[in-house]
Amino acid sequence: MNQYIKNLLVIALALVLVNCSEDPIDNFEKGTLTGIAVINGSNIPLENVKISTNPSSSTVFTDVDGNFIIEDIPVEQYSVQAELDGYLTAFEATEITSGVTVNVVFEMDIETANNRPPNTPVLVTPINNAVDVALDTQLVWTGSDPDEDEINYTIELRNDFDDEVLSFSTVNDTMLDITGLRFGLKYFWQVGAKDNINADVIQSVVGVFETINAPENRHVFVRKINGNNVIFSTDTDGNELQLTSSSLNSFRPRQNTAADKIAFLSNSGSETHIFTMDLDGSNMEQITSQVQVNGFNLDEVDFAWTQNGGRLIYPNFDSIYSINVDGTGLQEVYQTTDGSFITEVAISADETFTAVKTNDASGYNVSIFTIDNSGTIIDNVLSGVLGAAGGLDISVDNQTILYWYDVSGFESSNYRQLDSRIFLYNRAMATADDLSDDKDAGTNDFDCRFTPNEAEIIFTNTSNDGVSQRNVLITDTDPNDAGFIRVVFAEDAQMPDFE
């Protein structure tokens, strides 16, 4: 019996061994995984996308058409992963079935697809509806990006007066210094924010502010900047306002209270013409065009306009021309009989006579005289002298004429003066008083003009070396016991006017 049991056990063990040998390891169930990787939204195939699975199986890469295949992949539930630089990693869940080809599609997003645009900028300074904002001011706002991307800001300003648009840009900087705004205007400003990823520009609300009103500066003068003459105005406290661009040559400013404008000389192409502008430097207009302003030396040429602001008179070599302030009515009103050049003119307040300065082509052989409206000479103020002269102005009562004259009688090819002095000519007495008795030796006084009350004159003074700084001074027309009191009004300045 025991032997019989042993035999049965041997037979059973043999059967087990036989059955195990008939189920080899390569007979486990398997399937095939295929798929494609494309750009989301455009379905453009992506090449070299890395395809892997979890649980792990073979790792493959997509071909040029974006396709891939993993064969003999064991039956299982998988998470299939697609990876490519520049794109967000994509996942697809799938189940492999025995003997079946399973297909997956990866629609891959560019790695910035989840990037968010900048936050809306918030305007800080000037505060909304601010008034009396300076013409040179700083715009300040806040801004940020949720993904800490670099932000490009665009800033735009418009005004309520005309179509001018000021545009600026900064990168990551939330403040901007603005110069050259205009007086008395309401400005609207807005800031846009954009990163380098998103196409949208995020705009702030529109801010509003108003600039200061134009000051009532009664003094104007010229200052050299980078080789150009530039016109400034100033108040009695010395607060200056630049009226013309330093990139242009603008000079010889003449104010007119009736017109509430400033006339001046400036270049138009290769010619010199008369322009006008508002007291704040805006609304520039060219007045002359057909006949330019000209003479032996444009730095010495001067023009005038009538007290009512209706007409301007100016020289062109040997002639005087008159033109309406709107550019119409051009006519020649006087011409010298000997061909001498007319360099300066001044017209009386009642327009009954004109003061004229003539000279030769070198600026010498000077004559200063007055003529009536028919061209007849009335007064012979200065003639038959050596040296330079100029600076004409007429008192409001028509009784005196202001001018300067180089009493040294020096003449040179570069028009240098050695002792230019200011004189007040009395028409009734036919005499001239020297107003420069108290000037420093070795200096020149010139560019003289009456102040509005005519108790003083404003003028330019500089060393006679011809290269030193020029300054604008004011002095009395009638000295007291202490003599003439000379006060420096503006430094590094010339060609003054005070109305």
Side-chain angles (χ1 to χ4, degrees):
M1 184 63 178
N2 289 339
Q3 185 63 41
Y4 177 74
I5 293 173
K6 290 180 180 179
N7 290 337
L8 287 175
L9 290 173
V10 171
I11 292 170
L13 181 60
L15 289 173
V16 170
L17 291 174
V18 170
N19 288 336
C20 289
S21 65
E22 290 178 354
D23 189 17
I25 192 168
D26 59 359
N27 283 339
F28 286 131
E29 293 182 316
K30 296 180 179 181
T32 301
L33 176 65
T34 64
I36 187 172
V38 298
I39 299 175
N40 188 19
S42 66
N43 292 327
I44 298 175
L46 289 171
E47 185 180 7
N48 289 325
V49 178
K50 180 182 177 181
I51 307 297
S52 58
T53 64
N54 185 18
S56 178
S57 63
S58 298
T59 298
V60 298
F61 293 86
T62 59
D63 61 19
V64 68
D65 296 318
N67 297 309
F68 68 89
I69 183 170
I70 302 177
E71 297 179 311
D72 296 329
I73 181 171
V75 171
E76 178 68 271
Q77 290 185 340
Y78 290 92
S79 173
V80 186
Q81 177 175 300
E83 297 176 274
L84 180 64
D85 288 343
Y87 292 83
L88 295 176
T89 299
F91 298 89
E92 291 291 340
T94 189
E95 182 176 357
I96 302 300
T97 304
S98 177
V100 175
T101 298
V102 178
N103 190 71
V104 294
V105 176
F106 290 101
E107 294 179 315
M108 302 185 68
D109 291 310
I110 297 173
E111 65 180 357
T112 57
N114 294 329
N115 187 275
R116 293 162 292 178
N119 296 317
T120 302
V122 177
L123 307 185
V124 177
T125 305
I127 63 173
N128 202 35
N129 294 314
V131 296
D132 294 331
V133 174
L135 304 188
D136 298 341
T137 192
Q138 187 177 72
L139 304 179
V140 180
W141 63 94
T142 60
S144 60
D145 188 276
D147 301 298
E148 298 185 355
D149 297 323
E150 184 177 85
I151 305 176
N152 296 285
Y153 292 106
T154 55
I155 304 93
E156 186 173 280
L157 291 92
R158 299 175 182 267
N159 65 67
D160 64 347
F161 180 74
D162 55 28
D163 295 329
E164 180 186 45
V165 179
L166 303 176
S167 298
F168 308 91
S169 62
T170 67
V171 177
N172 285 341
D173 198 351
T174 56
M175 62 180 60
L176 177 70
D177 291 324
I178 300 290
T179 61
L181 298 179
R182 293 150 63 186
F183 286 107
L185 293 185
K186 180 179 288 186
Y187 280 89
F188 305 88
W189 68 296
Q190 188 173 34
V191 176
K194 182 182 180 303
D195 58 26
N196 294 322
I197 298 169
N198 296 277
D200 294 335
V201 177
I202 308 302
Q203 298 283 3
S204 71
V205 300
V206 177
V208 182
F209 64 88
E210 293 184 33
T211 53
I212 58 174
N213 291 322
E216 296 182 357
N217 292 344
R218 300 179 63 187
H219 309 79
V220 291
F221 62 84
V222 168
R223 176 174 291 147
K224 285 276 190 182
I225 299 178
N226 299 326
N228 282 327
N229 290 304
V230 181
I231 299 174
F232 288 77
S233 71
T234 183
D235 60 18
T236 54
D237 295 326
N239 298 310
E240 297 178 358
L241 172 64
Q242 183 174 328
L243 301 180
T244 60
S245 170
S246 55
S247 63
L248 299 174
N249 188 42
S250 305
F251 57 104
R252 200 62 68 183
R254 293 288 175 250
Q255 300 181 92
N256 188 282
T257 54
D260 211 26
K261 285 184 177 290
I262 300 171
F264 62 99
L265 301 181
S266 190
N267 300 116
S268 177
S270 60
E271 297 182 341
T272 299
H273 285 279
I274 298 177
F275 292 73
T276 62
M277 61 182 169
D278 289 347
L279 301 182
D280 61 1
S282 62
N283 297 324
M284 290 187 182
E285 295 183 48
Q286 181 176 333
I287 306 304
T288 57
S289 58
Q290 293 178 314
V291 179
Q292 65 170 312
V293 180
N294 219 333
F296 89 100
N297 184 335
L298 286 171
D299 284 338
E300 304 298 325
V301 168
D302 200 358
F303 65 98
W305 62 2
T306 56
Q307 189 173 51
N308 64 10
R311 288 189 304 123
L312 294 149
I313 61 171
Y314 66 96
N316 177 278
F317 293 116
D318 63 346
S319 298
I320 298 175
Y321 285 86
S322 171
I323 190 170
N324 295 331
V325 76
D326 62 1
T328 64
L330 176 69
Q331 60 178 323
E332 185 184 69
V333 295
Y334 179 76
Q335 185 177 33
T336 60
T337 58
D338 57 1
S340 57
F341 291 171
I342 299 170
T343 303
E344 298 183 40
V345 292
I347 190 167
S348 64
D350 60 4
E351 300 183 35
T352 58
F353 72 94
T354 301
V356 182
K357 187 205 102 171
T358 65
N359 48 259
D360 60 23
S362 299
Y364 301 117
N365 192 23
V366 170
S367 290
I368 296 177
F369 54 92
T370 63
I371 56 174
D372 62 20
N373 290 331
S374 65
T376 302
I377 294 178
I378 306 171
D379 304 290
N380 183 10
V381 179
L382 182 71
S383 62
V385 296
L386 297 175
L392 302 185
D393 200 11
I394 302 171
S395 63
V396 69
D397 63 5
N398 295 345
Q399 297 303 304
T400 56
I401 297 173
L402 197 65
Y403 69 94
W404 63 264
Y405 164 55
D406 182 4
V407 298
S408 74
F410 181 73
E411 296 184 355
S412 66
S413 59
N414 63 1
Y415 203 64
R416 179 179 174 182
Q417 293 106 52
L418 298 183
D419 191 9
S420 293
R421 293 170 172 263
I422 297 171
F423 292 87
L424 188 63
Y425 179 81
N426 186 301
R427 297 181 67 203
M429 303 292 293
T431 58
D433 293 329
D434 186 347
L435 304 185
S436 296
D437 271 351
D438 293 323
K439 78 175 178 67
D440 293 336
T443 66
N444 291 318
D445 288 346
F446 54 100
D447 284 346
C448 45
R449 303 284 292 176
F450 284 113
T451 62
N453 62 16
E454 298 191 355
E456 298 173 316
I457 59 171
I458 190 168
F459 61 97
T460 303
N461 174 265
T462 188
S463 168
N464 67 12
D465 61 11
V467 295
S468 293
Q469 175 177 294
R470 300 182 175 192
N471 301 312
V472 171
L473 281 67
I474 290 181
T475 190
D476 308 282
T477 56
D478 186 13
N480 56 28
D481 293 338
F484 291 99
I485 300 175
R486 299 163 61 93
V487 178
V488 175
F489 179 77
E491 296 185 347
D492 188 20
Q494 59 180 322
M495 301 185 189
D497 193 31
F498 181 14
E499 296 295 336

